[in-house]
Amino acid sequence: MRFAVRSETGYKRTNNEDNFFCNGIYMTPSECDRPFFLSGFAEVPCIFAVFDGMGGHDCGELASLMAVETLAEHAGKIREGSCDEVDAFVKDADRKLLALMDDRGIRTGTTCAMCVFGKNFFTAYNLGDSRIYSVKNGFLTRINDDHTVAEEMVRAGRLNPKYADDSRYSNILTRFIGMKEDELASKPDVYALLDYEENKRVLLCTDGLNKMLKHKEMNEIMKSAETVDDAVNGLVDAALNRGGKDNVTCIVIEWQ
């Protein structure tokens, strides 16, 4: 898999609460203070994920960092294709974050959008409102559902889908890593057996990207970019040019 990742603080925030996991690579605390870009190759099986920490200065950074460090501990078995190990990772990260919150008297958490790439297919997992897309039949297609009050309102027919991203309820998460023990809260959605032939490129991003850009704009950038490097730079630059109101992190992966 050819991949590129980029993470930026943006223009409105003073710190970057996002993080990512590129088959074992993630941002250390010192690397969160400056723009981050990396591209390279990863042989299957491999894992890619983005995390969007919550809780304000320091707290969100701690949450996303703790999540990626915990993922690194479970990565070996997850690469083998074990969905049970993904559940174990989420529960382990939940436990560590809850202990951290009790110890420091803070409230925090993090989203998680993750893809595990095998030999002939990939499996996607999601908790929160970070997004997973693929370029399918020439168009950018969203794979996962958001875990937000706005998304629940859409499913209940109380909110038009085209207004969901701009709704004040889109910032209220219903599921994420760091919630108190609850079977649903700690269980990621699973989107399995996605075929490479139909999904040439995959995009993982935090909401600092998709809330700055319309789907049509993201689609045009993903389709027109010649390389994955061009894709992540085009997407992040466009989000920053639109105002960069939040941290923005994205990974683009392409099957070779």
Side-chain angles (χ1 to χ4, degrees), residues 16-18 20 32 49 72 76 81 111 141 147 154 156 162 171 174 178 181 194 201 206 209 233 249 254:
N16 190 351
E17 296 180 288
D18 289 354
F20 60 81
C32 290
T111 68
T141 303
H147 295 139
V154 168
K162 68 180 182 179
N171 293 321
T174 56
E181 287 189 16
L194 299 167
R201 275 184 181 169
T206 57
L209 181 70
N233 285 323
T249 300
E254 185 175 74

Side-chain angles (χ1 to χ4, degrees), residues 10 32 46 62 93 111 121 129 132 229 246:
C32 290
C46 52
L62 284 171
T111 68
F121 66 90
D129 64 349
I132 307 167
D229 297 39
D246 197 357

Side-chain angles (χ1 to χ4, degrees), residues 78-165:
I78 291 175
R79 286 190 189 94
E80 295 173 3
S82 171
C83 288
D84 289 341
E85 193 63 27
V86 174
D87 290 340
F89 146 64
V90 171
K91 290 178 181 177
D92 194 12
D94 266 334
R95 177 183 57 79
K96 291 177 179 177
L97 273 178
L98 289 170
L100 175 72
M101 287 187 275
D102 288 342
D103 182 56
R104 299 199 180 189
I106 59 175
R107 188 78 182 100
T108 188
T110 181
T111 68
C112 173
M114 177 170 67
C115 289
V116 181
F117 293 90
K119 187 174 181 180
N120 299 307
F121 66 90
F122 68 98
T123 306
Y125 302 86
N126 176 60
L127 277 164
D129 64 349
S130 293
R131 296 267 178 94
I132 307 167
Y133 299 85
S134 73
V135 177
K136 188 172 183 176
N137 300 321
F139 293 94
L140 187 67
T141 303
R142 180 175 151 194
I143 292 174
N144 65 310
D145 294 325
D146 290 342
H147 295 139
T148 63
V149 171
E151 193 84 8
E152 289 189 351
M153 292 172 69
V154 168
R155 286 194 288 268
R158 296 166 52 205
L159 180 65
N160 189 315
K162 68 180 182 179
Y163 300 129
D165 282 350

Side-chain angles (χ1 to χ4, degrees), residues 186-207:
S186 63
K187 193 82 170 175
D189 285 341
V190 184
Y191 306 84
L193 300 177
L194 299 167
D195 184 71
Y196 293 145
E197 290 294 339
E198 292 185 351
N199 301 274
K200 297 294 187 182
R201 275 184 181 169
V202 177
L203 164 67
L204 294 90
C205 66
T206 57
D207 66 349

Side-chain angles (χ1 to χ4, degrees), residues 11 208-209 212-213 234-245 248:
Y11 299 138
L209 181 70
M212 287 289 97
L213 303 177
L235 289 165
V236 174
D237 285 344
L240 294 176
N241 290 336
R242 193 58 57 82
K245 295 180 180 179
V248 54

